[in-house]
Amino acid sequence: MLAVNKITLDHELSLCGVDQFPVLGWEINSNHQCVEQVSYQLQCSYDESFTEVLFDSGVVISNASANIILNDISLHPSTLYFVRGRVIDNYGEKSEWSSVAKFVSGLVDNSWQADFISGESVQDKANSKVTLLRKEFALKNNVAIKSAFVHSSGLGIYQLFLNGNKVGSDELTPGWSSYHHHLLYQTYDVTEQLQSSGNVIGAEVGAGWYKGDMGFTRDRNYYGEQTAFIGQLVINYEDGTTQTVVTDDSWRAEDSPVLFAEIYDGEIYDAGQQRSGWNKTDFDASHWRPVEIVAHDKKTLTAQGACKVKQIEVLQPLRLMTTPQGDSVIDFGQNLSGWVEFKVRGQRGEKVILRHFEVLDADGNVYLDNLRSAKQRVEYILNGGEQEVYHPRFTYHGFRYVKVEAYPGELLLENFNAIVIHSEMAQVGHFKCSNNDLNQLHHNILWGLKGNFVDVPTDCPQRDERLGWTGDAQIFCRTASYLMQTSSFFSKWLTDLKYDQTPEGGVPHVVPDILAGHCANDINLAEGGTHSAAAWADAAVINPWTLYLMYGDTRVLENQYDSMKAWIEFMLVHSQNLIWGYKLQFGDWVALDAKEGSYFGATPSDLVCTAYFAYSTELFSKAAKALGREDDHQKYRDLHQQIVERFQFEFFTPSGRLAARTQTAHILALYFNLVPAAFKERTVNTLVELLKEHDGHLVTGFVGTPYFCHALSQNGREKEAWELLLKEDFPSWLYQVKAGATTIWEHWDGVKPDGSMWSADMNSFNHYAYGAVGEWLYRAVAGIEADENEPGFKHVIISPVIGGGLSWVKAAVHTNYGEIAVHWQVQESNSGQRVRLNIKVPHNTHATLKLAALRDVISADDLQIEKQGNNGVVKVGSGEYQLEYLRD
Ligand code: BGC
């Protein structure tokens, strides 16, 4: 039976707040194999039962079931929409209508009547307190409400309340963006929260990223001096009329019990200063102060339909311990980003004080040094009497442990939980295998993502940094997109990247950019500048291209096109004879072949720069092609060719020696296809020699590490790739696993084999960058690879790299079309390896299955496997298949 499974909207299951009609897609269910869609029909309506259809596509002959853009529908503001679809397949079967997907439009066409209001004045510039804002209003008498939506945003971090209850379940809204260009607003359905007897709308606003103390330079007021809130509540009545309640000068303000809240330093909360009932009716606010109207360009307001930060899960503590130095410490067993929630009972004025941190030192004592100046401290002052429950809301911490500096009464684990927060994304990737250390590595990579995808892809979540370092986000983007549905997350961040680019197209080291103009005292950045480093700035091109590969959505390429092009042009202008370089370069950052005490790896900067110049130019020319921009496609394809030639002339000797004898130089040359065909073998051999010289260990940094295993396995050195991945002693991925890591470390030797720590100056234990090896688990080990000619996994290349002594691997990636799954099992026998392979290919897609080192097919579910050299190749339609074969 044919059925349309879920309909997706901008790759999400539902959206609340959109400025334009979302991109549609759906999954198809059928009990046939090789199912292809022949046609589809989509309908859109204002009501769930589709009594009045406002759009009907009619039957569209097309096999497209993802990335459907309906250009003909313009949205009304504050309106609930329903979408459904049905399809006909190549068997002539016709599905029923799908279940409905719904979304709510935002304040389309920027119809804001509200003003930004503040409970602070400019004298509060240095203040980190939270303020309350409130307004009472009445509904129309005797008219039923059809729907009510509130649109809201803030300068700072806000929480919204209606009649005593929090609106929505988002946290840290409106998140962090390039506020002066791109400020996200959230939309909530509050139909059920309104009451006929009288209503109170209120907000709490803290300093957050907007006004607070940020960056390793510890400046503040990057974006402004006063926090503010904007809200527009739209009530649609059944009689066709509308009532609008907006933030304006009729609101009143007061200080909140949050006496202090900063992203790095934590929160101080005095429960004795709670204004009970402040966000309900029957509260006397006559003594509250008037608000100030704050100027902020409302054109910057952009709807955020999904991917907001939320409380995602709750972890119970593992154990309570007393350290050798006598500190009480709670261990949550997992390095994470979020808050501790606790229950406490005591006297008025007694305190709970917590310090959050990541690791214990070699003696088992509290280690705070790597937080640098970030306090990660929570102080709660009790109201007294009844049991009190608290977690902070205007800060977040990166931690596994908390040191309890004060707590009235007996310290019991049952009174503590860790609340994990991050941007809400669907987990799409799953990987398990017969090697438990690898499973733990996968777990650590996933938790590196969770800990650092808190609205912005941060380098780390604990020290006084937590910035959107472009390089980290670039190298991890592909891995992240195998693990989670990252489309909304990265699209938002790339919009900020575009806005924060320099007028010449330079790309900031961090996005949102808070370094420009703030680094006069930084040894590297003062002179070297705050933008345009190879591998970092290339996020401008590589990330949109990666999203296109993974989701097939051309919109991200459209939106980023000028930004991508500007970055290529920037490199071109600053190159000399196509060898690129610009001011400060991070090169192969924190590689182990760096000089003692240096962060800069040994691979020459001009080689790294020019390799990325070539790679980004190639991707940009492909992006131009995908958008049908033929002129640019050819122009940049030619430029790419010239850069490659120049690279080869400059960095290869006439006899084929790569001038820089580092692992990273060889990895980049191979992975970016910069090696002349005649020198390929030599380059691969040298890379393997360079590995051997370090006893099979990598000495690579941010630039070489992500592609190391690929550079080997794509060049016939699968065995060496596996050996590298499975190394257990320092330096290696599994060294950290064996040392008990629960996330990925910033340094291969974050904790050295002798138990001592890398310099506290820069030693994060939750830094996803080296987790970029995750893509090798999915693309190579499971062999689930996208095809740029049919992106978004419309066509998947399944080509597992079996090895590593593993007896089985089970992996799946949930794509636009459904789940692609690969399960291989290996049995060693005298005659070689016997492999059982199960694969699942979603309907309305197809696959090419490649079996490396195929000797004999034992059974293949009627698939006709063609021998191509040592490999078997077969084209496969949708469905599930089981094969058994012998391999050499
Ligand atoms: C960050 C890195 C970042 C680097 C750039 C560090 O402080 O934590 O991950 O990419 O600076 O130099």
Side-chain angles (χ1 to χ4, degrees), residues 527-538:
E527 289 250 313
T530 56
H531 65 89
S532 303
W536 272 250
D538 293 282

Side-chain angles (χ1 to χ4, degrees), residues 372 459-460 463 465 469 471-472 536 586 589 702 746 762 767:
R372 303 196 304 217
D459 54 338
C460 55
R463 68 181 178 223
E465 200 151 358
W469 281 96
D472 307 46
W536 272 250
F586 301 118
W589 185 247
F702 274 35
E746 179 171 21
M762 218 182 65
H767 228 78

Side-chain angles (χ1 to χ4, degrees), residues 30-316:
S30 165
N31 39 17
H32 287 122
Q33 307 258 89
C34 303
V35 175
E36 284 165 32
Q37 175 188 294
V38 171
S39 68
Y40 70 80
Q41 182 177 6
L42 287 168
Q43 286 187 341
C44 184
S45 172
Y46 295 129
D47 68 285
E48 201 158 2
S49 43
F50 284 74
T51 39
E52 202 186 317
V53 172
L54 75 104
F55 171 84
D56 190 332
S57 68
V59 173
V60 181
I61 306 296
S62 165
N63 71 356
S65 56
N67 300 308
I68 310 287
I69 297 176
L70 301 179
N71 285 320
D72 320 345
I73 314 179
S74 50
L75 295 178
H76 295 293
S78 307
T79 305
L80 180 58
Y81 288 85
F82 297 89
V83 182
R84 67 180 180 181
R86 62 182 175 188
V87 299
I88 298 177
D89 71 8
N90 52 331
Y91 292 90
E93 282 195 31
K94 193 172 174 177
S95 78
E96 298 291 330
W97 285 111
S98 66
S99 55
V100 295
K102 58 181 175 184
F103 70 91
V104 177
S105 57
L107 279 175
V108 180
D109 297 331
N110 216 274
S111 41
W112 285 92
Q113 297 158 31
D115 283 318
F116 285 91
I117 57 167
S118 179
E120 295 187 320
S121 70
V122 280
Q123 277 78 44
D124 290 310
K125 184 178 169 188
N127 246 325
S128 308
K129 65 183 182 190
V130 172
T131 48
L132 306 175
L133 301 162
R134 91 187 283 279
K135 156 105 186 163
E136 291 196 30
F137 64 95
L139 299 177
K140 271 189 165 183
N141 276 335
N142 303 325
V143 191
I145 294 172
K146 188 174 162 209
S147 61
F149 301 102
V150 61
H151 312 278
S152 51
S153 186
L155 306 176
I157 292 174
Y158 78 90
Q159 296 225 319
L160 178 60
F161 297 86
L162 189 56
N163 297 324
N165 296 315
K166 180 169 152 65
V167 172
S169 54
D170 303 336
E171 304 292 351
L172 305 181
T173 45
W176 188 8
S177 57
S178 178
Y179 296 121
H180 292 305
H181 306 102
H182 179 222
L183 172 62
L184 295 178
Y185 70 89
Q186 291 69 42
T187 294
Y188 302 101
D189 184 341
V190 290
T191 317
E192 303 300 323
Q193 268 176 268
L194 289 170
Q195 53 197 31
S196 51
S197 52
N199 294 272
V200 174
I201 183 165
E204 267 183 282
V205 196
W209 298 277
Y210 179 85
K211 180 194 146 182
D213 181 344
M214 290 297 301
F216 40 81
T217 53
R218 298 304 300 254
D219 280 341
R220 60 183 298 117
N221 303 111
Y222 284 90
Y223 299 94
E225 302 181 345
Q226 277 170 280
T227 57
F229 170 72
I230 188 168
Q232 186 154 326
L233 168 62
V234 181
I235 305 159
N236 301 312
Y237 290 101
E238 287 291 0
D239 66 359
T241 58
T242 297
Q243 178 186 356
T244 308
V245 178
V246 297
T247 41
D248 57 19
D249 59 9
S250 67
W251 288 53
R252 286 289 174 271
E254 177 61 293
D255 290 347
S256 104
V258 184
L259 307 182
F260 173 92
E262 285 285 350
I263 297 285
Y264 299 149
D265 287 340
E267 211 165 284
I268 302 175
Y269 187 95
D270 184 357
Q273 295 192 43
Q274 267 160 185
R275 327 278 176 219
S276 283
W278 72 273
N279 48 20
K280 294 185 188 164
T281 52
D282 297 328
F283 177 83
D284 178 14
S286 55
H287 59 287
W288 283 32
R289 57 184 182 267
V291 296
E292 285 188 19
I293 305 284
V294 171
H296 183 93
D297 183 359
K298 288 181 227 165
K299 288 198 202 70
T300 59
L301 285 160
T302 310
Q304 184 183 31
C307 202
K308 298 165 222 182
V309 174
K310 288 195 194 287
Q311 300 183 25
I312 303 287
E313 58 194 296
V314 175
L315 301 185
Q316 314 294 324

Side-chain angles (χ1 to χ4, degrees), residues 592 697-698 728-732 735 747-753:
L592 290 168
H697 293 102
L698 45 67
E728 293 181 358
D729 56 341
F730 167 79
S732 67
Y735 167 73
H747 295 278
W748 296 116
D749 48 354
V751 179
K752 295 177 198 250

Side-chain angles (χ1 to χ4, degrees), residues 332-371:
F332 288 95
Q334 174 61 54
N335 204 356
L336 61 96
S337 286
W339 306 311
V340 169
E341 181 179 68
F342 56 82
K343 294 186 204 135
V344 64
R345 196 187 284 267
Q347 308 283 319
R348 166 76 193 126
E350 285 187 304
K351 289 181 179 178
V352 178
I353 300 176
L354 304 177
R355 296 293 304 272
H356 305 68
F357 65 101
E358 291 186 291
V359 286
L360 299 167
D361 70 12
D363 301 321
N365 287 314
V366 174
Y367 185 72
L368 299 174
D369 295 358
N370 70 327
L371 306 177

